[in-house]
Amino acid sequence: MNKTDGRRQIVLAEVAGFCFGVQRAVEMTEAARRSRTGTVTTLGALVHNEQVIARMEAQGIGRAGDLKAIQEGTVVLSAHGASPSVLAQAKAQGLDVVDVTCPFVTRVHRMAKQLHEQGYQVVLVGDPGHTEVKGVAGLIESLGGTVTVVATVEAVRSAPLGKKVGVVSQTTQRPEQFAAIVAEVCKTAPDVRAINTICNATEELQAAAARLARQVDIVIVVGGKQSANSRRLRQLCEEAGTPAYQIETAAEIDPAWLEGKEKIGLTAGASTPDWILEEVARHLNGGDLPAGWRLHHPDEKS
Ligand code: F3S
């Protein structure tokens, strides 16, 4: 806990900010830029954070929404993974590929493939349309199978399920949701195999945010507007009964939020780099980092 003056304290979440996979993706992309000649372009936004993307652009790293828009050089695929067809298309276009898929996402691919090969109908708990979900579905389709994607218990009830069902999860799903869906599958399928592929980084960030919210008067969540996990942190803080605001930069802090508040909680989503979180901490603390500032990221060994 850090004091700004006699009245206000800044309390940092026990873990906050960049997860292992995003940090690794950013470092691999920057290393590719340093070591390669020609253009380096990310396919889609590497991280859901505009400030990080702007910093990459300043280093000469481009961004394209579609492979067809990349004529030459190196393409960096998403930390959320890609389907084999995307990889094949990139290679067919003659592009060098840097695959920054997070190892925890690779594990989802591996487990889904294993279940498919063992004859299970693969059910993926996840958000239809998310890059990670598309990557897993694309992999199983390339092996001649299909993936049944469900986001809710209700969706399971109307899904066409066989007798032998294997369930995996998008890495960022909530454990309670995964467990509820597996329980629902068990009501109709006699042979069920569930593999928990949720990444601990998400759980750790969320648990730390909820604990933080219970100790403070207000929580500031630093995270990109497009970052679903940052939004989720804000929601969890509000569910704990504490007002919470999501901001991208210190400039967005409305002084009215802080009026009459003594303990200010600070956390950040998994796509927020340390330098932005530190900037916000300095702003709240009148210029310097709060005394004893020590930032811990979600567990790298999750
Ligand atoms: Fe990987 Fe988990 Fe981050 S899956 S990208 S370490 S949230």
PDB file of all heavy atoms in Angstrom, residues 148-188:
ATOM      1  N   THR A 148     -18.111 -27.683 -31.968  1.00  0.00           N
ATOM      2  CA  THR A 148     -19.360 -27.069 -31.525  1.00  0.00           C
ATOM      3  C   THR A 148     -18.975 -25.996 -30.508  1.00  0.00           C
ATOM      4  O   THR A 148     -18.434 -26.309 -29.443  1.00  0.00           O
ATOM      5  CB  THR A 148     -20.276 -28.128 -30.860  1.00  0.00           C
ATOM      6  OG1 THR A 148     -20.401 -29.238 -31.758  1.00  0.00           O
ATOM      7  CG2 THR A 148     -21.633 -27.554 -30.525  1.00  0.00           C
ATOM      8  N   VAL A 149     -19.208 -24.735 -30.868  1.00  0.00           N
ATOM      9  CA  VAL A 149     -18.811 -23.632 -29.973  1.00  0.00           C
ATOM     10  C   VAL A 149     -20.019 -23.217 -29.142  1.00  0.00           C
ATOM     11  O   VAL A 149     -21.091 -22.936 -29.686  1.00  0.00           O
ATOM     12  CB  VAL A 149     -18.303 -22.418 -30.797  1.00  0.00           C
ATOM     13  CG1 VAL A 149     -17.872 -21.281 -29.869  1.00  0.00           C
ATOM     14  CG2 VAL A 149     -17.150 -22.824 -31.697  1.00  0.00           C
ATOM     15  N   VAL A 150     -19.869 -23.203 -27.827  1.00  0.00           N
ATOM     16  CA  VAL A 150     -20.975 -22.787 -26.956  1.00  0.00           C
ATOM     17  C   VAL A 150     -20.456 -21.748 -25.956  1.00  0.00           C
ATOM     18  O   VAL A 150     -19.359 -21.879 -25.413  1.00  0.00           O
ATOM     19  CB  VAL A 150     -21.601 -23.970 -26.191  1.00  0.00           C
ATOM     20  CG1 VAL A 150     -22.348 -24.900 -27.122  1.00  0.00           C
ATOM     21  CG2 VAL A 150     -20.576 -24.730 -25.392  1.00  0.00           C
ATOM     22  N   ALA A 151     -21.257 -20.730 -25.730  1.00  0.00           N
ATOM     23  CA  ALA A 151     -20.848 -19.687 -24.780  1.00  0.00           C
ATOM     24  C   ALA A 151     -21.664 -19.770 -23.494  1.00  0.00           C
ATOM     25  O   ALA A 151     -21.241 -19.252 -22.456  1.00  0.00           O
ATOM     26  CB  ALA A 151     -21.020 -18.314 -25.424  1.00  0.00           C
ATOM     27  N   THR A 152     -22.826 -20.433 -23.545  1.00  0.00           N
ATOM     28  CA  THR A 152     -23.711 -20.460 -22.374  1.00  0.00           C
ATOM     29  C   THR A 152     -24.299 -21.859 -22.182  1.00  0.00           C
ATOM     30  O   THR A 152     -24.295 -22.685 -23.096  1.00  0.00           O
ATOM     31  CB  THR A 152     -24.901 -19.495 -22.586  1.00  0.00           C
ATOM     32  OG1 THR A 152     -25.635 -19.947 -23.743  1.00  0.00           O
ATOM     33  CG2 THR A 152     -24.467 -18.063 -22.789  1.00  0.00           C
ATOM     34  N   VAL A 153     -24.841 -22.069 -20.990  1.00  0.00           N
ATOM     35  CA  VAL A 153     -25.516 -23.334 -20.682  1.00  0.00           C
ATOM     36  C   VAL A 153     -26.718 -23.514 -21.615  1.00  0.00           C
ATOM     37  O   VAL A 153     -26.971 -24.615 -22.121  1.00  0.00           O
ATOM     38  CB  VAL A 153     -25.945 -23.335 -19.196  1.00  0.00           C
ATOM     39  CG1 VAL A 153     -26.893 -24.476 -18.897  1.00  0.00           C
ATOM     40  CG2 VAL A 153     -24.713 -23.413 -18.290  1.00  0.00           C
ATOM     41  N   GLU A 154     -27.422 -22.425 -21.894  1.00  0.00           N
ATOM     42  CA  GLU A 154     -28.591 -22.483 -22.784  1.00  0.00           C
ATOM     43  C   GLU A 154     -28.172 -22.975 -24.176  1.00  0.00           C
ATOM     44  O   GLU A 154     -28.869 -23.767 -24.802  1.00  0.00           O
ATOM     45  CB  GLU A 154     -29.255 -21.093 -22.936  1.00  0.00           C
ATOM     46  CG  GLU A 154     -29.932 -20.573 -21.675  1.00  0.00           C
ATOM     47  CD  GLU A 154     -28.950 -20.235 -20.552  1.00  0.00           C
ATOM     48  OE1 GLU A 154     -27.871 -19.681 -20.851  1.00  0.00           O
ATOM     49  OE2 GLU A 154     -29.257 -20.535 -19.391  1.00  0.00           O
ATOM     50  N   ALA A 155     -27.020 -22.509 -24.621  1.00  0.00           N
ATOM     51  CA  ALA A 155     -26.550 -22.921 -25.954  1.00  0.00           C
ATOM     52  C   ALA A 155     -26.268 -24.422 -25.986  1.00  0.00           C
ATOM     53  O   ALA A 155     -26.463 -25.080 -27.009  1.00  0.00           O
ATOM     54  CB  ALA A 155     -25.303 -22.132 -26.333  1.00  0.00           C
ATOM     55  N   VAL A 156     -25.833 -24.994 -24.860  1.00  0.00           N
ATOM     56  CA  VAL A 156     -25.564 -26.437 -24.815  1.00  0.00           C
ATOM     57  C   VAL A 156     -26.876 -27.201 -24.994  1.00  0.00           C
ATOM     58  O   VAL A 156     -26.924 -28.212 -25.698  1.00  0.00           O
ATOM     59  CB  VAL A 156     -24.927 -26.841 -23.457  1.00  0.00           C
ATOM     60  CG1 VAL A 156     -24.694 -28.348 -23.390  1.00  0.00           C
ATOM     61  CG2 VAL A 156     -23.635 -26.095 -23.229  1.00  0.00           C
ATOM     62  N   ARG A 157     -27.940 -26.684 -24.375  1.00  0.00           N
ATOM     63  CA  ARG A 157     -29.239 -27.382 -24.433  1.00  0.00           C
ATOM     64  C   ARG A 157     -29.734 -27.518 -25.865  1.00  0.00           C
ATOM     65  O   ARG A 157     -30.378 -28.497 -26.206  1.00  0.00           O
ATOM     66  CB  ARG A 157     -30.285 -26.633 -23.597  1.00  0.00           C
ATOM     67  CG  ARG A 157     -29.981 -26.766 -22.117  1.00  0.00           C
ATOM     68  CD  ARG A 157     -31.089 -26.221 -21.236  1.00  0.00           C
ATOM     69  NE  ARG A 157     -30.602 -26.138 -19.874  1.00  0.00           N
ATOM     70  CZ  ARG A 157     -30.618 -25.041 -19.122  1.00  0.00           C
ATOM     71  NH1 ARG A 157     -31.137 -23.921 -19.576  1.00  0.00           N
ATOM     72  NH2 ARG A 157     -30.115 -25.072 -17.898  1.00  0.00           N
ATOM     73  N   SER A 158     -29.420 -26.527 -26.691  1.00  0.00           N
ATOM     74  CA  SER A 158     -29.920 -26.619 -28.072  1.00  0.00           C
ATOM     75  C   SER A 158     -28.854 -27.137 -29.043  1.00  0.00           C
ATOM     76  O   SER A 158     -29.101 -27.233 -30.243  1.00  0.00           O
ATOM     77  CB  SER A 158     -30.446 -25.248 -28.517  1.00  0.00           C
ATOM     78  OG  SER A 158     -29.439 -24.290 -28.327  1.00  0.00           O
ATOM     79  N   ALA A 159     -27.670 -27.490 -28.521  1.00  0.00           N
ATOM     80  CA  ALA A 159     -26.610 -27.967 -29.428  1.00  0.00           C
ATOM     81  C   ALA A 159     -26.823 -29.452 -29.747  1.00  0.00           C
ATOM     82  O   ALA A 159     -27.258 -30.215 -28.889  1.00  0.00           O
ATOM     83  CB  ALA A 159     -25.252 -27.759 -28.763  1.00  0.00           C
ATOM     84  N   PRO A 160     -26.512 -29.843 -30.980  1.00  0.00           N
ATOM     85  CA  PRO A 160     -26.646 -31.261 -31.326  1.00  0.00           C
ATOM     86  C   PRO A 160     -25.459 -32.054 -30.753  1.00  0.00           C
ATOM     87  O   PRO A 160     -24.371 -32.028 -31.314  1.00  0.00           O
ATOM     88  CB  PRO A 160     -26.611 -31.230 -32.866  1.00  0.00           C
ATOM     89  CG  PRO A 160     -25.888 -29.965 -33.211  1.00  0.00           C
ATOM     90  CD  PRO A 160     -25.983 -29.021 -32.076  1.00  0.00           C
ATOM     91  N   LEU A 161     -25.682 -32.725 -29.630  1.00  0.00           N
ATOM     92  CA  LEU A 161     -24.581 -33.449 -28.984  1.00  0.00           C
ATOM     93  C   LEU A 161     -24.698 -34.952 -29.205  1.00  0.00           C
ATOM     94  O   LEU A 161     -25.793 -35.510 -29.142  1.00  0.00           O
ATOM     95  CB  LEU A 161     -24.565 -33.166 -27.472  1.00  0.00           C
ATOM     96  CG  LEU A 161     -24.244 -31.739 -27.028  1.00  0.00           C
ATOM     97  CD1 LEU A 161     -24.145 -31.664 -25.518  1.00  0.00           C
ATOM     98  CD2 LEU A 161     -22.955 -31.222 -27.657  1.00  0.00           C
ATOM     99  N   GLY A 162     -23.529 -35.568 -29.431  1.00  0.00           N
ATOM    100  CA  GLY A 162     -23.503 -37.026 -29.585  1.00  0.00           C
ATOM    101  C   GLY A 162     -23.308 -37.697 -28.229  1.00  0.00           C
ATOM    102  O   GLY A 162     -23.501 -37.079 -27.176  1.00  0.00           O
ATOM    103  N   LYS A 163     -22.881 -38.968 -28.261  1.00  0.00           N
ATOM    104  CA  LYS A 163     -22.721 -39.739 -27.026  1.00  0.00           C
ATOM    105  C   LYS A 163     -21.338 -39.534 -26.411  1.00  0.00           C
ATOM    106  O   LYS A 163     -21.125 -39.692 -25.223  1.00  0.00           O
ATOM    107  CB  LYS A 163     -22.900 -41.240 -27.318  1.00  0.00           C
ATOM    108  CG  LYS A 163     -24.275 -41.606 -27.885  1.00  0.00           C
ATOM    109  CD  LYS A 163     -25.028 -42.453 -26.874  1.00  0.00           C
ATOM    110  CE  LYS A 163     -26.460 -42.739 -27.232  1.00  0.00           C
ATOM    111  NZ  LYS A 163     -27.339 -41.582 -27.128  1.00  0.00           N
ATOM    112  N   LYS A 164     -20.370 -39.176 -27.267  1.00  0.00           N
ATOM    113  CA  LYS A 164     -18.981 -39.071 -26.813  1.00  0.00           C
ATOM    114  C   LYS A 164     -18.535 -37.624 -27.029  1.00  0.00           C
ATOM    115  O   LYS A 164     -18.346 -37.198 -28.166  1.00  0.00           O
ATOM    116  CB  LYS A 164     -18.161 -40.044 -27.675  1.00  0.00           C
ATOM    117  CG  LYS A 164     -16.899 -40.511 -27.057  1.00  0.00           C
ATOM    118  CD  LYS A 164     -16.254 -41.609 -27.889  1.00  0.00           C
ATOM    119  CE  LYS A 164     -14.799 -41.685 -27.460  1.00  0.00           C
ATOM    120  NZ  LYS A 164     -14.001 -42.639 -28.144  1.00  0.00           N
ATOM    121  N   VAL A 165     -18.421 -36.873 -25.950  1.00  0.00           N
ATOM    122  CA  VAL A 165     -18.179 -35.424 -26.097  1.00  0.00           C
ATOM    123  C   VAL A 165     -16.923 -35.008 -25.319  1.00  0.00           C
ATOM    124  O   VAL A 165     -16.779 -35.335 -24.132  1.00  0.00           O
ATOM    125  CB  VAL A 165     -19.398 -34.614 -25.586  1.00  0.00           C
ATOM    126  CG1 VAL A 165     -19.130 -33.113 -25.687  1.00  0.00           C
ATOM    127  CG2 VAL A 165     -20.654 -34.967 -26.364  1.00  0.00           C
ATOM    128  N   GLY A 166     -16.038 -34.296 -25.987  1.00  0.00           N
ATOM    129  CA  GLY A 166     -14.838 -33.761 -25.338  1.00  0.00           C
ATOM    130  C   GLY A 166     -14.951 -32.246 -25.239  1.00  0.00           C
ATOM    131  O   GLY A 166     -15.258 -31.579 -26.233  1.00  0.00           O
ATOM    132  N   VAL A 167     -14.761 -31.711 -24.033  1.00  0.00           N
ATOM    133  CA  VAL A 167     -14.953 -30.266 -23.846  1.00  0.00           C
ATOM    134  C   VAL A 167     -13.619 -29.596 -23.509  1.00  0.00           C
ATOM    135  O   VAL A 167     -12.888 -30.045 -22.616  1.00  0.00           O
ATOM    136  CB  VAL A 167     -15.952 -29.983 -22.693  1.00  0.00           C
ATOM    137  CG1 VAL A 167     -16.403 -28.519 -22.716  1.00  0.00           C
ATOM    138  CG2 VAL A 167     -17.160 -30.897 -22.751  1.00  0.00           C
ATOM    139  N   VAL A 168     -13.323 -28.523 -24.237  1.00  0.00           N
ATOM    140  CA  VAL A 168     -12.170 -27.672 -23.914  1.00  0.00           C
ATOM    141  C   VAL A 168     -12.673 -26.239 -23.824  1.00  0.00           C
ATOM    142  O   VAL A 168     -13.818 -25.960 -24.165  1.00  0.00           O
ATOM    143  CB  VAL A 168     -11.037 -27.756 -24.968  1.00  0.00           C
ATOM    144  CG1 VAL A 168     -10.293 -29.068 -24.891  1.00  0.00           C
ATOM    145  CG2 VAL A 168     -11.565 -27.500 -26.363  1.00  0.00           C
ATOM    146  N   SER A 169     -11.820 -25.338 -23.389  1.00  0.00           N
ATOM    147  CA  SER A 169     -12.255 -23.956 -23.202  1.00  0.00           C
ATOM    148  C   SER A 169     -11.319 -22.959 -23.878  1.00  0.00           C
ATOM    149  O   SER A 169     -10.103 -23.178 -23.931  1.00  0.00           O
ATOM    150  CB  SER A 169     -12.299 -23.647 -21.702  1.00  0.00           C
ATOM    151  OG  SER A 169     -12.711 -22.317 -21.509  1.00  0.00           O
ATOM    152  N   GLN A 170     -11.884 -21.892 -24.353  1.00  0.00           N
ATOM    153  CA  GLN A 170     -11.081 -20.725 -24.752  1.00  0.00           C
ATOM    154  C   GLN A 170     -10.326 -20.296 -23.484  1.00  0.00           C
ATOM    155  O   GLN A 170     -10.882 -20.358 -22.380  1.00  0.00           O
ATOM    156  CB  GLN A 170     -12.042 -19.632 -25.221  1.00  0.00           C
ATOM    157  CG  GLN A 170     -11.377 -18.395 -25.760  1.00  0.00           C
ATOM    158  CD  GLN A 170     -12.419 -17.329 -26.126  1.00  0.00           C
ATOM    159  OE1 GLN A 170     -13.595 -17.627 -26.344  1.00  0.00           O
ATOM    160  NE2 GLN A 170     -11.977 -16.093 -26.181  1.00  0.00           N
ATOM    161  N   THR A 171      -9.096 -19.865 -23.633  1.00  0.00           N
ATOM    162  CA  THR A 171      -8.244 -19.619 -22.454  1.00  0.00           C
ATOM    163  C   THR A 171      -8.805 -18.577 -21.491  1.00  0.00           C
ATOM    164  O   THR A 171      -8.508 -18.626 -20.297  1.00  0.00           O
ATOM    165  CB  THR A 171      -6.847 -19.146 -22.903  1.00  0.00           C
ATOM    166  OG1 THR A 171      -7.020 -18.071 -23.824  1.00  0.00           O
ATOM    167  CG2 THR A 171      -6.045 -20.257 -23.529  1.00  0.00           C
ATOM    168  N   THR A 172      -9.588 -17.636 -22.010  1.00  0.00           N
ATOM    169  CA  THR A 172     -10.012 -16.519 -21.159  1.00  0.00           C
ATOM    170  C   THR A 172     -11.414 -16.686 -20.569  1.00  0.00           C
ATOM    171  O   THR A 172     -11.969 -15.735 -20.020  1.00  0.00           O
ATOM    172  CB  THR A 172      -9.950 -15.204 -21.963  1.00  0.00           C
ATOM    173  OG1 THR A 172     -10.563 -15.443 -23.226  1.00  0.00           O
ATOM    174  CG2 THR A 172      -8.534 -14.748 -22.175  1.00  0.00           C
ATOM    175  N   GLN A 173     -11.997 -17.881 -20.681  1.00  0.00           N
ATOM    176  CA  GLN A 173     -13.341 -18.086 -20.109  1.00  0.00           C
ATOM    177  C   GLN A 173     -13.278 -18.175 -18.585  1.00  0.00           C
ATOM    178  O   GLN A 173     -12.215 -18.435 -17.999  1.00  0.00           O
ATOM    179  CB  GLN A 173     -13.951 -19.367 -20.674  1.00  0.00           C
ATOM    180  CG  GLN A 173     -14.306 -19.253 -22.140  1.00  0.00           C
ATOM    181  CD  GLN A 173     -15.485 -18.321 -22.403  1.00  0.00           C
ATOM    182  OE1 GLN A 173     -16.559 -18.509 -21.866  1.00  0.00           O
ATOM    183  NE2 GLN A 173     -15.269 -17.308 -23.234  1.00  0.00           N
ATOM    184  N   ARG A 174     -14.448 -18.016 -17.955  1.00  0.00           N
ATOM    185  CA  ARG A 174     -14.501 -18.115 -16.484  1.00  0.00           C
ATOM    186  C   ARG A 174     -14.635 -19.578 -16.083  1.00  0.00           C
ATOM    187  O   ARG A 174     -15.432 -20.320 -16.677  1.00  0.00           O
ATOM    188  CB  ARG A 174     -15.701 -17.335 -15.960  1.00  0.00           C
ATOM    189  CG  ARG A 174     -15.601 -15.851 -16.266  1.00  0.00           C
ATOM    190  CD  ARG A 174     -16.853 -15.145 -15.882  1.00  0.00           C
ATOM    191  NE  ARG A 174     -16.972 -15.048 -14.437  1.00  0.00           N
ATOM    192  CZ  ARG A 174     -18.039 -14.559 -13.818  1.00  0.00           C
ATOM    193  NH1 ARG A 174     -19.078 -14.162 -14.514  1.00  0.00           N
ATOM    194  NH2 ARG A 174     -18.071 -14.490 -12.512  1.00  0.00           N
ATOM    195  N   PRO A 175     -13.901 -20.009 -15.048  1.00  0.00           N
ATOM    196  CA  PRO A 175     -13.965 -21.410 -14.615  1.00  0.00           C
ATOM    197  C   PRO A 175     -15.388 -21.849 -14.260  1.00  0.00           C
ATOM    198  O   PRO A 175     -15.785 -22.972 -14.570  1.00  0.00           O
ATOM    199  CB  PRO A 175     -13.067 -21.449 -13.370  1.00  0.00           C
ATOM    200  CG  PRO A 175     -12.196 -20.249 -13.472  1.00  0.00           C
ATOM    201  CD  PRO A 175     -12.936 -19.228 -14.256  1.00  0.00           C
ATOM    202  N   GLU A 176     -16.193 -20.958 -13.638  1.00  0.00           N
ATOM    203  CA  GLU A 176     -17.559 -21.324 -13.240  1.00  0.00           C
ATOM    204  C   GLU A 176     -18.397 -21.635 -14.495  1.00  0.00           C
ATOM    205  O   GLU A 176     -19.211 -22.543 -14.497  1.00  0.00           O
ATOM    206  CB  GLU A 176     -18.267 -20.186 -12.476  1.00  0.00           C
ATOM    207  CG  GLU A 176     -17.510 -19.632 -11.288  1.00  0.00           C
ATOM    208  CD  GLU A 176     -16.428 -18.648 -11.696  1.00  0.00           C
ATOM    209  OE1 GLU A 176     -16.687 -17.796 -12.551  1.00  0.00           O
ATOM    210  OE2 GLU A 176     -15.304 -18.749 -11.157  1.00  0.00           O
ATOM    211  N   GLN A 177     -18.177 -20.835 -15.526  1.00  0.00           N
ATOM    212  CA  GLN A 177     -18.922 -21.022 -16.770  1.00  0.00           C
ATOM    213  C   GLN A 177     -18.541 -22.356 -17.415  1.00  0.00           C
ATOM    214  O   GLN A 177     -19.396 -23.110 -17.877  1.00  0.00           O
ATOM    215  CB  GLN A 177     -18.622 -19.842 -17.718  1.00  0.00           C
ATOM    216  CG  GLN A 177     -19.353 -19.863 -19.027  1.00  0.00           C
ATOM    217  CD  GLN A 177     -20.838 -19.522 -18.849  1.00  0.00           C
ATOM    218  OE1 GLN A 177     -21.360 -19.516 -17.738  1.00  0.00           O
ATOM    219  NE2 GLN A 177     -21.518 -19.283 -19.944  1.00  0.00           N
ATOM    220  N   PHE A 178     -17.260 -22.644 -17.415  1.00  0.00           N
ATOM    221  CA  PHE A 178     -16.765 -23.907 -17.985  1.00  0.00           C
ATOM    222  C   PHE A 178     -17.385 -25.082 -17.225  1.00  0.00           C
ATOM    223  O   PHE A 178     -17.917 -26.025 -17.828  1.00  0.00           O
ATOM    224  CB  PHE A 178     -15.234 -23.937 -17.914  1.00  0.00           C
ATOM    225  CG  PHE A 178     -14.614 -25.187 -18.479  1.00  0.00           C
ATOM    226  CD1 PHE A 178     -14.651 -25.442 -19.840  1.00  0.00           C
ATOM    227  CD2 PHE A 178     -13.998 -26.114 -17.646  1.00  0.00           C
ATOM    228  CE1 PHE A 178     -14.086 -26.601 -20.367  1.00  0.00           C
ATOM    229  CE2 PHE A 178     -13.433 -27.265 -18.162  1.00  0.00           C
ATOM    230  CZ  PHE A 178     -13.468 -27.514 -19.531  1.00  0.00           C
ATOM    231  N   ALA A 179     -17.351 -25.005 -15.885  1.00  0.00           N
ATOM    232  CA  ALA A 179     -17.880 -26.100 -15.054  1.00  0.00           C
ATOM    233  C   ALA A 179     -19.382 -26.279 -15.291  1.00  0.00           C
ATOM    234  O   ALA A 179     -19.874 -27.412 -15.404  1.00  0.00           O
ATOM    235  CB  ALA A 179     -17.605 -25.805 -13.577  1.00  0.00           C
ATOM    236  N   ALA A 180     -20.118 -25.172 -15.408  1.00  0.00           N
ATOM    237  CA  ALA A 180     -21.570 -25.259 -15.607  1.00  0.00           C
ATOM    238  C   ALA A 180     -21.877 -25.902 -16.960  1.00  0.00           C
ATOM    239  O   ALA A 180     -22.798 -26.712 -17.083  1.00  0.00           O
ATOM    240  CB  ALA A 180     -22.187 -23.862 -15.525  1.00  0.00           C
ATOM    241  N   ILE A 181     -21.088 -25.576 -17.967  1.00  0.00           N
ATOM    242  CA  ILE A 181     -21.317 -26.135 -19.307  1.00  0.00           C
ATOM    243  C   ILE A 181     -20.979 -27.629 -19.334  1.00  0.00           C
ATOM    244  O   ILE A 181     -21.713 -28.442 -19.891  1.00  0.00           O
ATOM    245  CB  ILE A 181     -20.554 -25.303 -20.365  1.00  0.00           C
ATOM    246  CG1 ILE A 181     -21.301 -23.972 -20.546  1.00  0.00           C
ATOM    247  CG2 ILE A 181     -20.431 -26.060 -21.693  1.00  0.00           C
ATOM    248  CD1 ILE A 181     -20.663 -22.972 -21.455  1.00  0.00           C
ATOM    249  N   VAL A 182     -19.886 -27.993 -18.663  1.00  0.00           N
ATOM    250  CA  VAL A 182     -19.523 -29.421 -18.596  1.00  0.00           C
ATOM    251  C   VAL A 182     -20.646 -30.190 -17.891  1.00  0.00           C
ATOM    252  O   VAL A 182     -21.062 -31.273 -18.339  1.00  0.00           O
ATOM    253  CB  VAL A 182     -18.171 -29.612 -17.856  1.00  0.00           C
ATOM    254  CG1 VAL A 182     -17.904 -31.097 -17.590  1.00  0.00           C
ATOM    255  CG2 VAL A 182     -17.028 -29.012 -18.674  1.00  0.00           C
ATOM    256  N   ALA A 183     -21.181 -29.635 -16.816  1.00  0.00           N
ATOM    257  CA  ALA A 183     -22.270 -30.294 -16.072  1.00  0.00           C
ATOM    258  C   ALA A 183     -23.487 -30.493 -16.979  1.00  0.00           C
ATOM    259  O   ALA A 183     -24.132 -31.542 -16.953  1.00  0.00           O
ATOM    260  CB  ALA A 183     -22.642 -29.468 -14.843  1.00  0.00           C
ATOM    261  N   GLU A 184     -23.759 -29.499 -17.796  1.00  0.00           N
ATOM    262  CA  GLU A 184     -24.909 -29.586 -18.704  1.00  0.00           C
ATOM    263  C   GLU A 184     -24.679 -30.668 -19.768  1.00  0.00           C
ATOM    264  O   GLU A 184     -25.586 -31.427 -20.096  1.00  0.00           O
ATOM    265  CB  GLU A 184     -25.134 -28.207 -19.364  1.00  0.00           C
ATOM    266  CG  GLU A 184     -26.450 -28.040 -20.064  1.00  0.00           C
ATOM    267  CD  GLU A 184     -27.668 -28.168 -19.145  1.00  0.00           C
ATOM    268  OE1 GLU A 184     -27.556 -27.846 -17.947  1.00  0.00           O
ATOM    269  OE2 GLU A 184     -28.718 -28.612 -19.646  1.00  0.00           O
ATOM    270  N   VAL A 185     -23.455 -30.740 -20.281  1.00  0.00           N
ATOM    271  CA  VAL A 185     -23.125 -31.764 -21.287  1.00  0.00           C
ATOM    272  C   VAL A 185     -23.335 -33.156 -20.682  1.00  0.00           C
ATOM    273  O   VAL A 185     -23.857 -34.071 -21.327  1.00  0.00           O
ATOM    274  CB  VAL A 185     -21.661 -31.584 -21.785  1.00  0.00           C
ATOM    275  CG1 VAL A 185     -21.235 -32.761 -22.664  1.00  0.00           C
ATOM    276  CG2 VAL A 185     -21.503 -30.278 -22.558  1.00  0.00           C
ATOM    277  N   CYS A 186     -22.954 -33.294 -19.407  1.00  0.00           N
ATOM    278  CA  CYS A 186     -23.065 -34.601 -18.728  1.00  0.00           C
ATOM    279  C   CYS A 186     -24.520 -35.077 -18.617  1.00  0.00           C
ATOM    280  O   CYS A 186     -24.771 -36.259 -18.438  1.00  0.00           O
ATOM    281  CB  CYS A 186     -22.456 -34.536 -17.326  1.00  0.00           C
ATOM    282  SG  CYS A 186     -20.667 -34.421 -17.368  1.00  0.00           S
ATOM    283  N   LYS A 187     -25.464 -34.150 -18.735  1.00  0.00           N
ATOM    284  CA  LYS A 187     -26.886 -34.558 -18.631  1.00  0.00           C
ATOM    285  C   LYS A 187     -27.324 -35.377 -19.839  1.00  0.00           C
ATOM    286  O   LYS A 187     -28.266 -36.141 -19.752  1.00  0.00           O
ATOM    287  CB  LYS A 187     -27.779 -33.311 -18.507  1.00  0.00           C
ATOM    288  CG  LYS A 187     -27.653 -32.632 -17.161  1.00  0.00           C
ATOM    289  CD  LYS A 187     -28.622 -31.467 -17.066  1.00  0.00           C
ATOM    290  CE  LYS A 187     -28.416 -30.712 -15.771  1.00  0.00           C
ATOM    291  NZ  LYS A 187     -29.098 -29.414 -15.782  1.00  0.00           N
ATOM    292  N   THR A 188     -26.648 -35.165 -20.991  1.00  0.00           N
ATOM    293  CA  THR A 188     -27.104 -35.903 -22.184  1.00  0.00           C
ATOM    294  C   THR A 188     -26.053 -36.877 -22.722  1.00  0.00           C
ATOM    295  O   THR A 188     -26.420 -37.885 -23.311  1.00  0.00           O
ATOM    296  CB  THR A 188     -27.470 -34.925 -23.329  1.00  0.00           C
ATOM    297  OG1 THR A 188     -26.349 -34.092 -23.583  1.00  0.00           O
ATOM    298  CG2 THR A 188     -28.678 -34.082 -22.980  1.00  0.00           C
TER     299      THR A 188
END
